[in-house]
Amino acid sequence: MRNRSQPPLSPEAAALLSFTRSSLSRRTLMRGALASGALAVSGSALVACGTKGAAQTEDTCVSEDLSGTEKTLTVSNWPQYIDVDEKDESKRPSLIAFEQKSGIAVSYTEDINDNNEFFGKVQNQLTACQPTDRDVIVLTDWMTARMIRLGWFQKLDTAKMPNFQKNLLPSLKGRPFDKNTEYAVPWQSGLAGLAFNGNVAKEIRTVDELLTRPDLKGKVTALTEMRDTMGLILLSNGHDPSNFTKAQFDDAINKLQKAVDAGQIRRFTGNDYAPELAKGDIAACIGWSGDIIQLGLEDEKIQFVAPDAGVMLFSDNSSIPNKASHKANAEQFLDYYYDPAVAAELAAYVNYICPVAGAKEAMEKIDPDLAANPLIFPDDALLGKAKVFKALTEAEEREYESAFQKVIGA
Amino acid sequence: MTLMTGIGAAPAGSARPARKSGRRWLPYLLLLPGTLWLVVFFFGPMLTLGAASLWDPAGSLQTGYAQTLSFGNYVDAVRDAGPQLLRSFWYAAIATLIGVIIGYPLAYAIALKAGRWKYLLLVAVVAPMFTSFLVRTLAWKTILSDNGALVGLLRDIGILGADGRLLATPIAVVLGLTYNFLPFLVLPLYASLERLDRRLLEAAGDLYASPARSFVKITLPLSMPGLVAGTLLFFIPAVGDYINAELLGNPNTYMVGNVIDSAFLVRLDYPHGAALSFALMFLILIIVMVYLFRSGTDEVV
């Protein structure tokens, strides 16, 4: 074997190196040309076509229901959104009771952390009308609205869901994105409002204080959820988030931009504001009612504030994606959680607003204090202040979201 | 190739042509898994991303995108993300510089001075990589917390003002980048310093070269391949990183990775997101080429 001072190079590397040394031989040139030619041909094949629309209809994507033979169900939900046993956190009492009652084995995973990320996770399958291997997914209003718009959900057979028909709160019936209440079953609702840590800051009452008070500078966070943050700012300007104009939105965006430029706002966050608020790195923030109640149980100086100008009401909804093969099981499961006694059990743990009528009475038997908490069973005064962000078309969604993303730095 | 033909030629005298021709395919067979991997996980995604970067920006997820070869996407994407793009290169460059200042002495000490502690120190450099990137970055949130010991100390000795903070500042982002990518710099540097022929240093000493002079004339040039490889392995992922900016920074410290993330996941603006990804790739490629050319090393480690 010949002994060479340098290890032999691959033809490509050699071609590249000789290219950089600008001593191009005809042979390497030929090789390079051939290689780039092959790349160009396969490339142009792909480049030539765009994509089709992602929307599906009941005719283009037909799902089969195997519930009759398969007594299983796969549910995807957000973390800490179901009751767990105090002694053994891997046990979920309400779920175990359902499995025993129905004989359906439920595989429950907490793999939804962010609406946008989850959308990215399932979008290819749902665009192509392929199974996502999930029978029930829980997403926030606007994402549910988007998926309904894209035709990615199966229509529920509500006739088989007596509890749901009877006990769904009237204010959640016939919402703009689901006029006949046949795609989305609210799992929990909640409020987006203000919160502060009394250990490091004085009480805060309004969004304007949050965005301008000098003692809070650099200790304020707002949510990356555009509808919650912008909704509260629109309200503070005296505008209605469920019915606003482009100019009013721009006003609100400018107000937010000023606060960002002034260094008042430290970060925009998802759920991760909670530990920082507890530590006191954040003095005040825009946050979600359920999180703040849970923090308040550990430190009573952490409080939720519903500004007089109004709060934002959101729901997380369970839906059945296309090609999920256990629709009837899923309907049985969702209806079970609309039994007031079960709903109260769930609400006692998750501390969000319970969408089930009659649960308050059931809750009084479990925990009278929680039954009296207006953030779990809101009174009319609070509900009167609560607004829902208006349903956006795809074009509006992109326009507003782009403007908002620009302000929050991305 | 010489090795292959060598093996193929050896039994040629024993006249079994069928076997010989079978062996001719062996190298290609061995290359097959790697080639398939490259085609499926590199060329395929690159082509689809490249195609997406030229889609008609007026399209949408719902209506679909037409392929209109809109090269304007690149102009729009780079213009809109200009500040973040500049910031990414700036932060990554500072972090790389700090990395070299910390990493070179560290690698030098491990390779030449650590004696029997050598492997323990190497493990100490690598061990943090056994936990997830995300967890390590989140740990920095606790370390740099406004009410934490570190900030308290810095306030007491007057480096930070009474209301000063580290978290949610550019300092925290650069610090996070430096910390997270340091092992990628130290390991190649260590590898090249370890191979250093110490007799050269002795000879330099015998010829009355000062330690500083023998470092500049011998150690540094011989460790150049390791330094170049290390700085590249540090700089390239640091430019594209978005976790540090997101967790340790504020809205005014977001990097280009955050913009790409938002384009794909939040704004659903695939053409501009893809165009920005490609533009970033080209920019990095150009910088790397210039760097390699200037540093005069074509043998990287």
Side-chain angles (χ1 to χ4, degrees), chain B residues 257-272:
Chain B
N258 302 86
V259 183
I260 295 173
D261 173 60
S262 138
F264 276 107
L265 286 178
V266 184
R267 287 184 274 132
L268 303 186
D269 186 355
Y270 305 114
H272 288 120

Side-chain angles (χ1 to χ4, degrees), chain A residues 2 21 46-47 50-51 53-54 116 119 123 146 149 218 266-267 276 279-281 394 398 405 408-410, chain B residues 2 55 57 59-62 64-65 67 84 141 145-147 165 167 249-251 254 262 265-266 268 270 298:
Chain A
R2 276 177 300 155
R21 287 175 190 144
L46 257 167
V47 164
T51 58
N116 287 313
F119 182 82
Q123 94 181 86
R146 183 194 287 172
R149 204 170 63 207
R266 181 192 184 105
R267 275 181 66 216
E276 289 187 57
K279 269 190 280 183
D281 284 355
E394 189 183 34
R398 188 194 269 194
Q405 288 291 315
I408 74 173
Chain B
T2 45
W55 281 347
S60 76
L61 182 73
Q62 206 164 331
Y65 289 93
Q67 181 55 273
Q84 287 92 342
K141 276 184 95 141
S145 162
D146 288 15
N147 303 312
R165 61 166 207 254
L167 209 55
N250 65 49
Y254 275 8
S262 138
L265 286 178
V266 184
L268 303 186
Y270 305 114
D298 49 52

